[in-house]
Amino acid sequence: MAALRYAGLDDTDSEDELPPGWEERTTKDGWVYYANHTEEKTQWEHPKTGKRKRVAGDLPYGWEQETDENGQVFFVDHINKRTTYLDPRLAFTVDDNPTKPATRQRYDGSTTAMEILQGRDFTGKVVVVTGANSGIGFETAKSFALHGAHVILACRNMARASEAVARILEEWHKAKVEAMTLDLALLRSVQHFAEAFKAKNVPLHVLVCNAAAFAVSWSLTKDGLETIFQVNHLGHFYLVQLLQDVLCRSAPARVIVVSSESHRFTDINDSLGKLDFSRLSPSKSDYWAMLAYNRSKLCNILFSNELHRRLSPRGVTSNAVHPGNMMYSNIHRGWWVYTLLFTLARPFTKSMVSDCLVAGSLF
């Protein structure tokens, strides 16, 4: 079951693995006990380790604990519309030993957003995710929405954004999610988005600057700047400046800037070590799409670091994140060569679900 997989129940340690005929259960108040179906008995101690355990944290968002007519505790997963007698928190048990608290939670390259957010309740939090109609932006927005946050999908294409909202509501009809227009290639659109958001009179706890252009032909925006530079960096830079006062009033708040490991393979300084502005928004003759992308990602990191330095004293932190070696997304749609390369590499890279950005957004 998917619910058990993202809770980690299919990954057991040899020490904690139950002998045949045994089942792990929980009481209503969270204590773990063990049922032996062969001998028809129950006990508090693990049959192999002799340890007593209890579950840690709250139920995942969308889950509810109920009791059947026989007094047996069972769990309802409202998101996936199923019931089970297995507590989804069993992957996160702790020993009943206050001197040696040991959680079994693990994060690695296959960790999903649902695992990272296990037990988190973002009710009352407002999250804005740019470029959230597809890819890791969508998965990030969905994960926050399924855990109670009010999520705003800030997208250029409103038709696709509305479809994304509908997909989230299909999974959880009570999700608080909406779409707003934001075209980072047009600074006027960035300003209009900020004005419309402020008109809602809501706080802003998490701003995920995720939208990006990659492998596109050289072009200038209506503002006269090279497209990759404006979409990936300058548009987000302007957006944060316009929403800075809201972020500070909402503290603790956080800005997540999606960068890339590829920022290491470029430079924005001239031969004298001074910033070369012509490299940020190059002319057509000096343009190479991959290099332009790398430079924009370097700008992301420099911006995030300086933003954190300035705003962290006011309760607003900023983190630049590399989402991992995930390649299979729509970001490479600009050129068929990149699409081919990314498709060939797909079996060796992270999935979209395991590449969400929520880890960097937790308080």
Side-chain angles (χ1 to χ4, degrees):
M1 294 173 62
L4 299 183
R5 283 197 299 274
Y6 78 65
L9 298 183
D10 60 342
D11 180 23
T12 60
D13 295 330
S14 58
E15 182 187 54
D16 292 333
E17 191 172 357
L18 291 171
W22 286 84
E23 182 185 357
E24 195 173 34
R25 296 178 179 175
T26 55
T27 64
K28 196 168 186 178
D29 53 358
W31 290 100
V32 178
Y33 69 97
Y34 303 91
N36 186 326
H37 295 291
T38 304
E39 301 180 12
E40 297 184 351
K41 68 175 185 178
T42 61
Q43 63 186 54
W44 294 109
E45 296 79 14
H46 190 286
K48 289 178 66 175
T49 66
K51 298 178 180 178
R52 293 192 178 197
K53 294 186 176 184
R54 55 185 174 83
V55 294
D58 300 324
L59 287 168
Y61 193 79
W63 286 76
E64 187 176 7
Q65 177 179 284
E66 296 185 8
T67 306
D68 64 17
E69 56 185 11
N70 297 319
Q72 181 78 29
V73 175
F74 68 97
F75 303 87
V76 181
D77 178 1
H78 292 288
I79 296 176
N80 295 301
K81 298 179 176 61
R82 60 183 128 190
T83 61
T84 177
Y85 282 90
L86 289 176
D87 191 323
R89 299 169 295 177
L90 282 172
F92 306 93
T93 57
V94 295
D95 293 340
D96 183 24
N97 183 353
T99 62
K100 295 182 179 180
T103 62
R104 294 170 53 196
Q105 186 168 320
R106 305 176 185 87
Y107 297 148
D108 56 27
S110 61
T111 301
T112 67
M114 299 303 290
E115 289 179 60
I116 294 173
L117 290 180
Q118 195 275 337
R120 298 274 185 166
D121 185 0
F122 281 86
T123 301
K125 302 294 185 182
V126 179
V127 179
V128 172
V129 183
T130 68
N133 62 282
S134 64
I136 56 177
F138 170 76
E139 294 294 339
T140 299
K142 181 181 73 172
S143 299
F144 275 121
L146 295 183
H147 286 79
H150 175 189
V151 181
I152 296 174
L153 282 63
C155 306
R156 177 177 56 87
N157 189 316
M158 283 303 293
R160 293 181 180 177
S162 298
E163 291 175 1
V165 169
R167 286 165 59 193
I168 295 174
L169 291 174
E170 284 178 4
E171 293 204 32
W172 180 241
H173 69 282
K174 294 183 179 180
K176 195 171 183 180
V177 57
E178 61 179 302
M180 292 179 62
T181 302
L182 173 64
D183 185 356
L184 294 165
L186 186 63
L187 296 180
R188 187 187 312 116
S189 174
V190 178
Q191 183 178 2
H192 288 169
F193 174 88
E195 292 172 350
F197 179 85
K198 290 180 178 180
K200 292 179 176 291
N201 292 317
V202 296
L204 177 56
H205 301 102
V206 180
L207 172 58
V208 182
C209 300
N210 164 75
F214 175 79
V216 298
S217 302
W218 181 88
S219 64
L220 295 178
T221 66
K222 292 183 178 180
D223 299 300
L225 297 166
E226 189 275 315
T227 300
I228 288 182
F229 171 66
Q230 179 164 334
V231 171
N232 294 9
H233 171 63
L234 191 62
H236 283 126
F237 177 90
Y238 189 38
L239 177 65
V240 173
Q241 301 310 304
L242 293 174
L243 295 178
Q244 178 175 308
D245 56 336
V246 184
L247 287 163
C248 291
R249 288 198 303 269
S250 309
R254 180 161 298 186
V255 177
I256 307 300
V257 183
V258 183
S259 184
S260 170
E261 189 70 14
S262 65
H263 80 276
R264 301 180 185 276
F265 309 112
T266 188
D267 195 0
I268 56 176
N269 293 334
D270 59 21
S271 58
L272 299 177
K274 296 183 179 181
L275 179 63
D276 186 351
F277 288 98
S278 65
R279 296 189 181 190
L280 300 181
S281 182
S283 63
K284 187 175 184 179
S285 60
D286 296 326
Y287 179 79
W288 180 31
M290 193 69 232
L291 193 56
Y293 178 81
N294 294 352
R295 286 170 176 165
S296 71
K297 297 293 103 177
L298 177 57
C299 289
N300 288 159
I301 291 179
L302 296 174
F303 165 57
S304 178
N305 289 347
E306 180 62 18
L307 182 68
H308 182 81
R309 187 186 70 82
R310 296 189 183 193
L311 295 190
S312 57
R314 302 175 65 183
V316 180
T317 57
S318 179
N319 296 85
V321 300
H322 168 52
N325 64 333
M326 186 281 297
M327 290 186 176
Y328 192 77
S329 72
N330 289 330
I331 196 172
H332 54 76
R333 61 187 179 274
W335 191 25
W336 69 269
V337 174
Y338 283 113
T339 300
L340 176 61
L341 291 174
F342 285 19
T343 301
L344 293 174
R346 185 184 183 188
F348 310 101
T349 58
K350 295 168 66 177
S351 70
M352 200 80 67
V353 175
S354 65
D355 223 347
C356 295
L357 309 170
V358 294
S361 309
L362 299 180
F363 292 93

